[in-house]
Amino acid sequence: MLSLLVLSILTLVGSGLLASRDASPWPWRWAWGWLLVQTSISLTAGLLWLVGAPLHWALLVPLLMLVVARLWRRPEAVPLPSSKATADPWLRLAVLLFGLWAVLSAWSTLDLGWDGMAIWGLKGRTLAATDGYPLLHPLARSSHPEYPLHLPLLAAVIAQWTGGWQDRLLPLLTAFDVTALGLLLCHSLEQRRAARWARRCLVIAFLVAPILWRELTLGKADLNVALCLAAALAGLEAWLRQGRGGDLRLAAVAVGLGAWSKQEGMVYGVIFCLLVCLLTPRHRYRQLPPALLLAVAIPLPWHVCRWLLAIPTEPFAVGETLYQRAPIIFETMARTMARPDLWGLLWWLAIPAALWLAVRWTRHHWRGLTAQQPIEPDIALSALFLLAGLGFVVTAYLTSPYNVVWHLHTSLDRLLLQLMPATVLVAHGALQRLDPLEGGCP
C-alpha cells in the first residue's frame, strides 16, 4: 500500500510542476506531470549511482522542482486552450476507471513475466538492495546489460522509500503509465476538431485492447516507451499547431525518456528529430536546436557509459537471407496486426489511414498540387511517424542475426505495442479529414 501512496503523491507533485499552466486541463497536467517526475527521478538516480551516493535521495528532486516551479512562475505568451466545449468529462471518467482497473490488476499480480524477473526486476531489485548494479558481472551479461536503466532506477528509488523491493512495483508503475497514456490521448483528441463519438470510440478501443492487459502485469518497459512516444507526438503536434516552445521542449523530453527507457527508443528519437525538421515551418527553425539537443542529452550519458565499458548492443547481420526473410516478416506482421483478439480493430483502421494521410500530405507538400483540403503537418505527423516506426521494425528483423521466426515470435508483439498509441492518433486524424463539417457536432 505504501508503494501506491508514494506513486500517487509523485503524480500530484508532477501535476504541480507545470506551474506556468495552471489553467490547462487536468488530464494534460497529470499525464505530463507523471512523465516529468519519473524522468527527474531516474536521471538523478543515475547520477547518484555514478558518484556512489544513496539512490533514495533522488526522490527529493521532484519536491525541489515543485518549490522552484512555484517560486518562479513564468506564464507562456500563448495560453493552453481550455474550453469547456472541447472537454469530454465522460471520456475522462472512463479513462480514470480504466486506470483504477489497471492499478487493481497490478496490485493483485502474483508474479512477473520472464523479462520482468530476469531483466528489469533483477536490475531493480539489485539497485534497491545495494545502490548499484555490476554491469560487467557474468550474471549481468545474461540479463541484457545494454538495456538502459530508467525503469530499474525508478523502481529502485521507490522501493527504497517503501521499505524494500516488491515484484508488484513494476506492474504498478506500468498501471500509472497506462493511466497517463489514456489521459494524454484523451486530451490530445479534445484539442482536435472532431465529433466526440470518434475520440471516445478510439480511446476506449485502445484501453480495452487485450494486448494491453496481457502486458500490464509482466513487468516490462514497453508500455513506458508507448507513453513516451505518445507524449512526443502529442507535444510535437501541439507545437506544429500553435507554436509554443514549451510544447516542443516537452516533446523532446518525452522522446529522450523513451531512448533512456529502451534501446529502440534511440531509433524513435532519430525519427522524431527528422520529422521535427521536416514539418516545422522555416520561420520557427531557430527554436529547434535547443529542443533537439535536449532530446539527445537525456539518453546520451547512458550510451557513453555503455561505450566506455565496452558493453555491446544487439548485433546486426545483413546477408543473402534478406530476400528470404522479407516475405516471412511481412506475412507475420500482417497476420499479427489483423488479430482482433490481441489488438481489436485499431491496426485495421490505422494502416489504411496512415497510408492515405501520408500520400495526401506528400502530394500536397512535395509536388505542389492544389488540394481543397490539404493535410496539415500536425495531422500528417502521426501517420508519418507510424509508417517510419513500422519501417524500423521491418528493418530490425531483416538485419537480425537470429532465426527470424523465433525472433518475430518473441518480440513482435512488444514492438507493435510501443507504436499502438500512434494508431489512435492516426485513425482519428483520418476521421477528422473525412468529416465534411471538419469536426462534426461536439
Side-chain angles (χ1 to χ4, degrees):
M1 185 60 74
L2 191 55
S3 299
L4 186 56
L5 178 62
V6 170
L7 292 174
S8 301
I9 292 174
L10 287 175
T11 304
L12 291 174
V13 170
S15 67
L17 291 177
L18 303 163
S20 63
R21 291 185 175 179
D22 283 342
S24 60
W26 62 264
W28 185 91
R29 294 200 309 272
W30 283 21
W32 279 107
W34 169 242
L35 192 143
L36 291 176
V37 159
Q38 57 176 296
T39 304
S40 64
I41 291 175
S42 69
L43 288 176
T44 305
L47 178 61
L48 294 173
W49 175 32
L50 288 177
V51 301
L55 296 183
H56 65 266
W57 291 358
L59 203 66
L60 301 176
V61 173
L63 299 175
L64 295 175
M65 292 172 62
L66 179 61
V67 172
V68 172
R70 289 297 172 184
L71 291 177
W72 185 40
R73 302 170 65 89
R74 190 176 64 177
E76 294 233 4
V78 182
L80 191 69
S82 183
S83 170
K84 291 183 178 180
T86 63
D88 194 339
W90 290 108
L91 181 56
R92 296 177 180 184
L93 177 61
V95 172
L96 290 180
L97 290 176
F98 277 108
L100 178 60
W101 183 15
V103 169
L104 293 176
S105 299
W107 186 259
S108 61
T109 297
L110 298 178
D111 53 48
L112 302 175
W114 170 254
D115 284 1
M117 290 187 296
I119 300 176
W120 309 106
L122 173 63
K123 294 176 180 179
R125 187 184 299 110
T126 305
L127 285 163
T130 66
D131 280 325
Y133 184 76
L135 290 170
L136 300 179
H137 191 277
L139 180 61
R141 290 286 185 178
S142 67
S143 297
H144 288 283
E146 77 278 7
Y147 283 10
L149 292 177
H150 162 64
L151 184 60
L153 285 168
L154 176 64
V157 171
I158 295 172
Q160 289 185 347
W161 277 85
T162 56
W165 179 266
Q166 291 182 330
D167 282 346
R168 65 164 56 101
L169 180 56
L170 291 178
L172 277 175
L173 287 169
T174 304
F176 274 72
D177 283 342
V178 168
T179 307
L181 182 49
L183 291 173
L184 188 68
L185 291 174
C186 174
H187 169 75
S188 296
L189 301 191
E190 284 178 351
Q191 302 308 305
R192 290 178 172 183
R193 305 182 308 273
R196 283 185 177 179
W197 69 266
R199 62 178 176 240
R200 287 177 180 177
C201 289
L202 289 170
V203 173
I204 297 300
F206 170 79
L207 291 174
V208 301
I211 186 73
L212 195 71
W213 300 96
R214 191 190 78 179
E215 298 290 320
L216 173 67
T217 59
L218 297 183
K220 299 179 182 178
D222 300 294
L223 279 168
N224 184 260
V225 176
L227 170 63
C228 293
L229 297 184
L233 290 175
L236 183 52
E237 184 177 311
W239 153 254
L240 294 173
R241 186 188 303 121
Q242 296 164 338
R244 288 188 304 267
D247 289 321
L248 179 61
R249 291 189 292 272
L250 286 174
V253 169
V255 79
L257 179 61
W260 171 222
S261 185
K262 289 206 74 176
Q263 288 281 88
E264 48 266 34
M266 291 294 292
V267 177
Y268 295 129
V270 172
I271 295 172
F272 172 87
C273 292
L274 292 175
L275 289 178
V276 169
C277 296
L278 175 65
L279 298 176
T280 297
R282 292 185 181 276
H283 65 276
R284 295 193 207 158
Y285 271 12
R286 66 180 182 278
Q287 301 183 55
L288 297 187
L292 298 182
L293 287 175
L294 180 61
V296 173
I298 292 175
L300 186 61
W302 163 251
H303 292 283
V304 170
C305 176
R306 185 177 58 78
W307 177 72
L308 292 175
L309 294 175
I311 298 174
T313 186
E314 292 285 347
F316 298 91
V318 180
E320 298 177 355
T321 61
L322 288 180
Y323 73 95
Q324 297 172 332
R325 287 171 170 240
I328 300 173
I329 294 168
F330 285 115
E331 180 186 353
T332 305
M333 288 182 65
R335 189 171 62 248
T336 301
M337 290 188 288
R339 289 180 58 182
D341 61 317
L342 283 180
W343 314 93
L345 298 178
L346 283 174
W347 286 106
W348 288 82
L349 295 171
I351 296 299
L355 292 171
W356 179 67
L357 288 173
V359 169
R360 284 281 304 274
W361 180 83
T362 302
R363 291 179 62 198
H364 176 76
H365 184 76
W366 293 108
R367 298 184 182 178
L369 298 180
T370 303
Q372 267 191 330
Q373 289 184 311
I375 303 297
E376 296 89 347
D378 57 301
I379 297 299
L381 166 67
S382 53
L384 296 173
F385 187 91
L386 182 61
L387 294 175
L390 291 174
F392 155 65
V393 173
V394 172
T395 303
Y397 289 118
L398 283 174
T399 58
S400 169
Y402 307 115
N403 177 276
V404 69
V405 176
W406 171 86
H407 206 182
L408 286 163
H409 176 72
T410 56
S411 60
L412 178 59
D413 283 350
R414 64 176 180 80
L415 290 177
L416 293 178
L417 182 64
Q418 295 172 8
L419 293 170
M420 190 178 168
T423 65
V424 176
L425 298 173
V426 170
H428 189 273
L431 290 174
Q432 180 176 331
R433 297 306 304 167
L434 289 171
D435 191 331
L437 299 179
E438 290 190 321
C441 59

